[in-house]
Structure formats: C-alpha cells, structure tokens
Amino acid sequence: MLDSRQVTASAPGKTILFGEHAVVYGKPAIAAAVDKRAYVTISKREDHLTHVTVGDLGVSGFLDLKNRTIQLENGSGMQRGILEYILKALIKAKTEDSVEVDVRLDIPIGAGLGSSAAVTVATIMAAASFNQITLTNETMANLAHQVELDVQGAASPIDTSLSTYGGVIYLSKQPQKLVKLEIPHELPIVIGYTSTRGNTGELVKLVRQKKDARPEVINPILDSMEAVANGARQAIIKGDHKTIGLLMNINQGLLDALGVNTEELSKMVFTARNQGAMGSKLTGAGGGGSMIAYCPGREEEVVSSINQFERAFQINVAHEGVRLEKPRN
Amino acid sequence: MLDSRQVTASAPGKTILFGEHAVVYGKPAIAAAVDKRAYVTISKREDHLTHVTVGDLGVSGFLDLKNRTIQLENGSGMQRGILEYILKALIKAKTEDSVEVDVRLDIPIGAGLGSSAAVTVATIMAAASFNQITLTNETMANLAHQVELDVQGAASPIDTSLSTYGGVIYLSKQPQKLVKLEIPHELPIVIGYTSTRGNTGELVKLVRQKKDARPEVINPILDSMEAVANGARQAIIKGDHKTIGLLMNINQGLLDALGVNTEELSKMVFTARNQGAMGSKLTGAGGGGSMIAYCPGREEEVVSSINQFERAFQINVAHEGVRLEKPRN
C-alpha cells in the first residue's frame, strides 16, 4: 500500500530552565530546545485512509481528516491524546486522507519535555513537505501553537517556538515576545523524571487560588522569580556557571513555596546537588514530572545517582529546530 | 557538703513558628515557648567552690565566679559551652562561690529549641532566689539576654523572652517589640530533629551575602516572609488550622530559596505532610537542626513516621514561663 513518496521531519523537545508558573502572570521565563527529538514520517497510502503508528507508545489508529474523527486501534484512552495533535497538525498542513504516519519519539512522554509540541511541529513540516507546500518557520510555529490551543484549551507559545526554532529563548514580559539567546557555550543539563505526572491545568489553578487568596504573600514570590529569570539570562549569556546554579536553587525554593514541589522531585534535586550539581530545580508545572540539574563535568555522576531510584539522562541544547530528515534507505 | 538550703527553678525552651532569618532584617517573627524545660537546682556548698553538673550531657566542672573561669571536669570542649551560660547567669544574680548547681534538661541540645536560653533564665531565677534577691520577669529577661549576647556575640531577645514569659510571641518590626499573642486553643506541634547541627552564625552570613549580591531576588523573599508571619499571627489567634499549615508550607519554600534547607529536613517535612500534617517547615537557622509540623489530631502518626529515620516528639505551648519548683523531697 505504501508509495515510494515518503517524507520525514523531526523537531526537538524542550525544557524550562527558569520562570515556570510566574510566566502565567506576565513574568519572564527561559527555556531551551533539547537534543531529544520527535520523528514523523509521512508516506502515501492507496486506500484513501489515514493511519498513524506511534511505535514507542504502542499506539495506532485511523484518522478521518474530513470528519475530524479518530478511531483508536491500539493503546489506551490516555495515549489517544497524541493522535489528536497529529490529526489537527495534518489538517493545518492541508493533508488529504490517504497517508500513513509513523511517529518515533526520543522524548519521554509526560516528562514535561514538550513531546506534544515536538510531534505537532514535526507533523506539520512533514505533511507540508509531503503536500508540496512551503511554510516559513514563523507560520509553522503559529500553526503548531493553534493546534496546542485547540487540543489543550490553553498553551504557552514556548514549546512550539522551541520545537520550531531550537536554541534557548527568553520570553519577555512587555512587550510579550520571544528573544533568542545567543549562548557561546554548551549548557549540559541532566533531566530526572518520575512516572508521576502532574496535571498542569490543576497546578496552574492551585497557584492562582493562592495568589487570589493572599496576593501579599504570592506576588513577592513572583517578583523574585522575575529577578531570578533576568539574572539567569545574563548568567547564561556570560556562561557564569556558578550564578546559573545558584539561581536554579533559589527558583526551586520559590516553586516549593508555591506548592508545586513533591517529595520525589525534592529527593532528585538534593541528590543532584550532593553529586556536584551547581544547581537543580523542578521544571515545568511540578506536582510530579521532571527536574533539571545544571552540573557541568558531573553529568555522569548525577545521572547514575538519580537512576538508582528514578530515571535520568543527559541532554544538551538543540541548536537546530524542526528539519527535514534525509530518507533512511 | 550540701546544705539543706536548696532552690530549683525551671524555664521552657522555644520554637520559631514563622519568620526565622527574615527577623534579622527587621521583619516580624512568631515563636512559642514549648513544654520541654530546663531545671536548675542550686544548693549550698561549704568549701567555697562552685561546681556544676549537667547530668543529661555528662558534663561537669568547677566555676570560679570571682575570676570568671571554667575548669572542665567531664565532657568535651563542645559541651563546655553550657557552663559559660551558667557562669555568667550566676554572676548576674550576684552569686558567690560556694554553690552546687545541678542542671536537668528535657530539651534536646542543639535542636534549635533554645536550650541555652532556658538554662540561662532558670539559672538566674534559681540563683536570685537562693541569694534572696527578688527580680521582676522583665529584669530576668534582660539579664538573660545580656548573658546570651555575652556568650554568643549576637542573640535575638526571642529565646530569653519566651523562656521567661512562656506563651506565643509576635516580634513586631516597627517599633521593635514583643507582643504576646493570646491563643484560645492548643497549638500541638511535632518537632523532628537531626543530629546534624547548622551553624547559625554562618547561615545568617550566607543569607546576607546572597542579599547583598542580589537584593532584587532576596528582598521580595523577605517581603513574602513578612506577609506570611502577619497572616499567621491572625490565623493563630483565630485558630485557623488550615491557614496556619498553608503558611508554614510557604515559609518552608521561602527558607529553601534562601539556601538554608537540607535534604534531611526536607525528608522530614514531606514525611510529616504525607502523614497528615497541615503544614511543616524547618525551624530556626536551618542547615540541619529541626523542623516543625502542625498536625492537630495526627501527632502520633507524624512522630512515629519521622522516628523511623530521625528523632521526633510532640510539644505543646508552655503557657508558663520561668518558675520556682517545689522541693522534690
């Protein structure tokens, strides 16, 4: 059933370095694309059906692009979610039924590493190329953000921007814009993640309730997070390891004060510091999920220590965003 | 050698509920006297020597009140410290050589529970009574604070005030004064403590260095701590358990952001919350030492869970401060 025409695109995941939660209230954040990618291959089917396989998750199903429906073939309801991103991304790139979509993920799902944005952006580029449409990066980022908004109800543009452009971005407050940071050095980071997944929507709501009830307590915490992100921006540009680490540790305490830290995250955070990390913090919404450790020269020690009780791996900044891959054969 | 004339006084230890570290910068703090006491018995010796025994610590030694010197008999150099408080307290109460001093402690040493202030205040009252001098509480609190300043170089008046007056105090910012809070209910608290002791002077210095280097980051943290202490004052008076707990958790994150939390403290803090504590935080300078958990109705569960890896016990507020004890025989 497969035609010889076949296109593969890939896009990187991301991690938030500074400013999660505060960014909801217009404070700055810093995030980086990471060298763990989603690969999406699109090929022609002769039967006018659209079929998707996400091999790593054991998920597959048929999509109906005209009626916008999904028929799950394998996988649980929880995992069905990824097919919604793919359905909407295919439609944005004006795809018609009769394609086979193969997704391969380097990125663990639900670890706060932006797997949905990476899949969405890679799908848009692969489908556009397959459909012989040329899209600018800006258009792809916008379309992907629309897909995330559609599926999730709310979404920051951070994830889809990083999957599109790569690199490190500073999301500024006023005007609301993304500034790409030029970093003259590597930013080796260890990610540790738990199988417990926080519910981002609920965690954001929890923080808002606290802020509404006690603005005099919470507003200064957000102000401190703003100063942390601005200090970190300078430190990252300069390659000032010590300050990057110090500010991560402060940011971790502030996130704990907001109530989004957990015992598991805290254990990983302290383990990383004990193994020589210059700083460590939870990343993303918290309540489970992931932490990051900044530990130049101590990556192996930190990874193996965390791996004794949770899962960890090293990442680097992905300088390249979404791209077409050469055919494999 | 012992005369029949013998006087025993006791004074309670304390725990800081809110505002440690921030209090150094003029922010408010809340602390409570706790029902763990130091007992000091003074009796007449015929040989014109002054001898002290601190049974629980295995420390004893001879004091020379005229020349202000200490000759350690038993115990390590570390433990010698307590004899300095006793020496200076005896002198403040105009004691002359020829007394036997017996100290018994309910309060663990070095757990941030104000054992030195309790011993100092109890020694002053016992010695004054022995010497047939009448001192007001205010005078005793002042003399004890002078002793702490003398021995430590710096000391907040919180510990000696609580050992003298008992109860719960709010140390206000401007004017700098102590306000006794009337609490219409019990405040059952669990203390967990590690054998690791933080160095208060170094921890205070560490925070000051961070504040000097990055006031834009640290000042808002202190502002938030101020709002936490003020909110907690109202919640304690009202007996609003939920708010007391919530504010403790926020205060814990803010202390972590200042860099004075440790892995051991964090583990106890989360264990307490898992066992139903409404809030938990480190107490005192941090870097080791103690944590407190506010857990009405769940005290036993929290104590036994922490006791599986560190030491914990329940305390209540000591409403009575320093007092003379009836003769034991």
Side-chain angles (χ1 to χ4, degrees), chain B residues 27-96:
Chain B
K27 304 295 189 188
I30 298 175
V34 302
D35 57 357
K36 299 283 172 188
R37 305 179 74 91
Y39 295 84
V40 176
T41 300
I42 297 187
S43 40
K44 180 82 184 142
R45 278 178 76 105
E46 295 303 334
D47 60 2
H48 302 288
L49 293 175
T50 295
H51 183 257
V52 181
T53 308
V54 188
D56 314 81
L57 300 182
V59 175
S60 64
F62 286 92
L63 309 181
D64 182 332
L65 299 178
K66 201 173 286 171
N67 297 307
R68 306 184 172 218
T69 57
I70 296 170
Q71 194 191 326
L72 197 64
E73 195 180 33
N74 288 300
S76 73
M78 273 288 283
Q79 295 167 322
R80 182 182 181 279
I82 195 162
L83 300 185
E84 292 191 41
Y85 294 94
I86 294 167
L87 171 75
K88 295 198 155 92
L90 290 171
I91 293 169
K92 290 287 183 200
K94 305 195 185 303
T95 313
E96 294 191 356

Side-chain angles (χ1 to χ4, degrees), chain A residues 210 214 216-217 220-221 224 227-228 231 243 246-247 250 252-254 256-257 261-263 266 270 274, chain B residues 210 214 216-217 220-221 224 227-228 231 243 246-247 250 252-254 256-257 261-263 266 270 274:
Chain A
K210 282 188 185 160
R214 305 206 161 261
E216 71 283 9
V217 170
I221 296 176
S224 182
V228 163
T243 301
L246 173 75
L247 293 171
I250 294 174
Q252 164 66 10
L254 297 171
D256 182 81
N261 192 24
T262 68
E263 187 169 9
S266 179
F270 279 112
N274 291 343
Chain B
K210 283 189 184 158
R214 305 206 161 262
E216 73 282 9
V217 171
I221 296 176
S224 181
V228 164
T243 301
L246 173 75
L247 292 171
I250 294 175
Q252 164 66 9
L254 297 171
D256 182 81
N261 192 23
T262 67
E263 187 169 11
S266 179
F270 280 111
N274 291 343

Side-chain angles (χ1 to χ4, degrees), chain A:
Chain A
M1 275 196 285
L2 292 181
D3 191 43
S4 65
R5 196 148 60 94
Q6 180 173 301
V7 177
T8 298
S10 76
K14 73 93 194 24
T15 186
I16 298 180
L17 302 177
F18 293 95
E20 51 273 270
H21 282 288
V23 76
V24 173
Y25 305 97
K27 304 295 188 186
I30 298 175
V34 302
D35 57 357
K36 300 283 171 187
R37 305 178 74 91
Y39 296 83
V40 176
T41 300
I42 297 188
S43 40
K44 180 83 184 141
R45 280 176 76 104
E46 295 304 334
D47 60 3
H48 303 287
L49 294 174
T50 294
H51 183 257
V52 181
T53 308
V54 187
D56 314 80
L57 300 183
V59 174
S60 64
F62 286 93
L63 309 182
D64 183 332
L65 299 179
K66 202 172 284 169
N67 298 307
R68 307 186 170 215
T69 57
I70 297 170
Q71 193 190 327
L72 197 63
E73 194 180 33
N74 289 302
S76 72
M78 274 288 283
Q79 295 166 324
R80 183 181 181 279
I82 195 163
L83 301 185
E84 292 191 42
Y85 294 94
I86 295 166
L87 171 75
K88 295 198 155 93
L90 291 171
I91 293 169
K92 290 287 183 200
K94 305 196 185 303
T95 313
E96 296 191 355
D97 284 316
S98 69
V99 292
E100 182 68 33
V101 182
D102 267 295
V103 178
R104 188 163 62 81
L105 288 169
D106 266 0
I107 312 168
I109 290 268
L113 287 172
S115 55
S116 67
V119 167
T120 302
V121 170
T123 302
I124 288 175
M125 183 178 240
S129 173
F130 183 86
N131 298 328
Q132 297 179 308
I133 300 166
T134 305
L135 299 177
T136 62
N137 274 349
E138 199 180 345
T139 304
M140 283 193 283
N142 284 338
L143 292 174
H145 186 219
Q146 285 169 31
V147 170
E148 291 230 309
L149 284 173
D150 244 31
V151 177
Q152 299 166 195
S156 126
I158 294 177
D159 292 20
T160 40
S161 293
L162 283 167
S163 290
T164 305
Y165 298 106
V168 180
I169 59 164
Y170 169 91
L171 179 71
S172 86
K173 188 180 171 187
Q174 303 216 313
Q176 198 82 8
K177 64 170 178 178
L178 298 172
V179 180
K180 191 159 179 173
L181 301 187
E182 295 306 324
I183 55 166
H185 54 90
E186 282 302 307
L187 261 184
I189 283 175
V190 169
I191 302 259
Y193 66 106
T194 68
S195 45
T196 321
R197 187 178 180 173
N199 181 318
T200 301
E202 278 176 25
L203 289 155
V204 167
K205 196 172 146 194
L206 179 94
V207 172
R208 186 176 296 280
Q209 284 168 343
K210 282 188 185 160
K211 179 170 147 64
D212 289 346
R214 305 206 161 261
E216 71 283 9
V217 170
I218 304 300
N219 287 340
I221 296 176
L222 301 174
D223 291 342
S224 182
M225 284 177 165
E226 177 173 19
V228 163
N230 287 328
R233 178 185 181 174
Q234 299 309 318
I236 287 170
I237 292 168
K238 277 192 249 169
D240 177 351
H241 299 315
K242 204 178 147 194
T243 301
I244 294 170
L246 173 75
L247 293 171
M248 272 193 186
N249 290 347
I250 294 174
N251 204 155
Q252 164 66 10
L254 297 171
L255 287 162
D256 182 81
L258 292 184
V260 301
N261 192 24
T262 68
E263 187 169 9
E264 292 71 27
L265 289 168
S266 179
K267 191 175 173 194
M268 287 194 281
V269 158
F270 279 112
T271 298
R273 293 180 196 168
N274 291 343
Q275 291 299 322
M278 310 196 83
S280 54
K281 63 183 274 293
L282 70 88
T283 177
S290 303
M291 55 75 70
I292 52 173
Y294 186 61
C295 41
R298 300 288 297 174
E299 294 89 348
E300 280 179 33
E301 291 84 350
V302 172
V303 166
S304 75
S305 297
I306 294 176
N307 267 331
Q308 284 169 27
F309 58 98
E310 298 280 3
R311 282 171 295 173
F313 53 88
Q314 192 197 327
I315 52 158
N316 283 291
V317 172
H319 296 285
E320 205 178 352
V322 67
R323 69 184 178 213
L324 289 172
E325 301 285 331
K326 283 177 193 157
R328 276 194 248 175
N329 50 342

